[in-house]
Amino acid sequence: MSRRYPVALATLAAALACVANVSAQSYEAGEQEPALRLPTDPRLWHNSPPLTLESLKGKGVVFYLFEEESPRIAANWPNLQGLSKQYEGKPVLFVAVSSGTDPRVLKRYLGQYRVGWPVIHDYDRSLERAMAVPQLNPGGDEFAFRYVAGDGSMGQGKGADVAGTAEAALKGAAWRVDPAEVPEKLKGAWRAVELGSFTAAARPLTQAAESKDDELKAGAEKLLAAVEEELTSAAKEAQESLNEGDDWHAYKLLESIPQRFDGYEFDLIERAEDKTKELAKSDTVKGQIAAAKMLGKAMATASRGPSGVNRAKGLLNRLVEEHPDTEAAVKAQELLASIGS
């Protein structure tokens, strides 16, 4: 189609983006522990910062994949957004996905039809494929619903039944903190906590915790307790990895803690930093870090365009040779295989 985004999937740059953003595996309804990953690049999100299924754990998520060239789809946005408003007080999020679209066209489209949902720009259709959705096109299949339920199960939507799909997504879903218990002044911080954006909530919560307003202080304390519970869960997962001898996984979990919980003064954060430094001295973690840096360099090189692709391929081959037993080597092999190298 004339308005489609021209993506050169044969290039290494496209392959890198595909592997980095989503694990292209189909799924059946009820499957647990989904391999699905949402893009982390902010440029691929509209109306929202990047969200992850990890940050949305325990919430229901309804994905609406749509064909933006369809007049029927365009005319139905007011109805869809009206239906979603009926679920504003419930732990379910609606996310739209536009596949294969020119980014400039998509931006104009979202403004023209006043789409307020978070929207993912699935430029190479990798998310569409990962959700086992046949390629959408005008006159054919123009939309599809998929969902991730609060209990972690995944499934196909119920046709055009938005309410039915939302109810399926709500299975096992719950808020960390009941919004009815949160003062209006802290609703922004509450939303950040519920979406896993803990750093964004740090300042308003720490300030409110010192407030002389009893209601505001009580609300802040409940939200801080929810944040600390999430921190404790992350630290516990890291400890389990250590107990199993998986130092690299533990390192990654612990390294992310200071970033995820920046702005808080919980003791666990400092302990995580200390343990991260200790693990970084082990040979296993050193090798993984070195390999990850090489992979990052290859990605940066490939992003420079066709001239950088061959150099990036050389870096990936070198990575596989020098660090064959690393996580980055596995990704490098996937990338090389995807481009026939």
Side-chain angles (χ1 to χ4, degrees):
M1 298 178 189
S2 61
R3 297 199 301 169
R4 289 299 180 190
Y5 187 36
V7 180
L9 292 177
T11 68
L12 180 60
L16 281 164
C18 181
V19 172
N21 287 333
V22 63
S23 176
Q25 299 180 17
S26 62
Y27 58 87
E28 300 295 334
E31 179 183 337
Q32 299 290 329
E33 300 298 330
L36 180 69
R37 295 185 182 89
L38 305 183
T40 57
D41 188 338
R43 294 170 296 181
L44 300 181
W45 286 82
H46 298 267
N47 303 329
S48 172
L51 301 173
T52 66
L53 292 182
E54 180 185 21
S55 69
L56 296 172
K57 188 176 181 180
K59 310 292 186 300
V61 186
V62 174
F63 293 99
Y64 174 61
L65 297 93
F66 68 97
E67 168 53 60
E68 94 290 345
E69 292 187 5
S70 165
R72 289 190 302 168
I73 295 298
N76 197 40
W77 275 111
N79 178 52
L80 279 177
Q81 295 189 104
L83 287 170
S84 70
K85 286 185 180 298
Q86 298 177 17
Y87 290 86
E88 283 187 344
K90 298 182 179 181
V92 62
L93 181 70
F94 293 82
V95 178
V97 180
S98 177
S99 299
T101 313
D102 184 308
R104 295 163 297 183
V105 171
L106 178 59
K107 186 175 182 179
R108 288 196 298 268
Y109 177 95
L110 298 178
Q112 180 180 353
Y113 296 105
R114 300 181 180 180
V115 178
W117 290 359
V119 179
I120 298 173
H121 177 208
D122 181 31
Y123 74 95
D124 62 355
R125 295 187 177 276
S126 56
L127 197 53
E128 185 180 73
R129 293 192 299 272
M131 292 184 177
V133 174
Q135 184 166 319
L136 304 176
N137 58 81
D141 291 328
E142 298 181 335
F143 74 92
F145 282 102
R146 297 290 186 267
Y147 68 85
V148 178
D151 64 3
S153 61
M154 304 178 70
Q156 297 187 9
K158 302 182 181 300
D161 184 2
V162 181
T165 302
E167 292 299 328
L170 280 167
K171 180 182 177 182
W175 297 119
R176 290 185 172 98
V177 177
D178 187 336
E181 300 176 357
V182 179
E184 192 62 35
K185 289 183 179 179
L186 288 178
K187 282 296 171 66
W190 168 80
R191 179 174 175 79
V193 169
E194 292 296 339
L195 296 181
S197 300
F198 303 116
T199 297
R203 185 173 181 180
L205 290 183
T206 52
Q207 289 179 341
E210 301 297 326
S211 175
K212 294 181 180 180
D213 183 324
D214 291 341
E215 182 184 12
L216 197 63
K217 184 175 182 178
E221 289 174 346
K222 288 179 181 179
L223 289 168
L224 285 169
V227 173
E228 187 171 20
E229 182 178 349
E230 192 67 25
L231 168 60
T232 301
S233 177
K236 182 179 179 181
E237 185 180 354
Q239 184 59 54
E240 289 173 352
S241 293
L242 286 172
N243 294 342
E244 295 169 0
D246 191 346
D247 287 0
W248 175 236
H249 186 57
Y251 174 86
K252 290 189 295 179
L253 290 170
L254 292 168
E255 185 188 38
S256 71
I257 284 177
Q259 298 171 352
R260 291 180 63 200
F261 299 95
D262 186 32
Y264 298 93
E265 297 182 356
F266 299 122
D267 291 341
L268 264 178
I269 298 174
E270 184 176 351
R271 286 156 56 189
E273 290 177 322
D274 291 341
K275 190 62 179 179
T276 300
K277 293 176 183 177
E278 179 185 329
L279 286 171
K281 297 176 182 178
S282 75
D283 291 339
T284 297
V285 174
K286 281 182 180 178
Q288 293 279 6
I289 292 174
K293 287 181 178 179
M294 288 184 69
L295 181 62
K297 185 176 180 180
M299 294 174 73
T301 301
S303 68
R304 296 170 188 162
S307 63
V309 170
N310 286 332
R311 290 196 297 275
K313 287 163 63 177
L315 285 170
L316 292 174
N317 280 309
R318 180 181 154 201
L319 190 165
V320 173
E321 291 175 4
E322 295 183 3
H323 304 282
D325 299 322
T326 62
E327 181 180 73
V330 173
K331 291 182 179 179
Q333 289 172 326
E334 291 175 355
L335 293 169
L336 290 168
S338 71
I339 56 174
S341 298

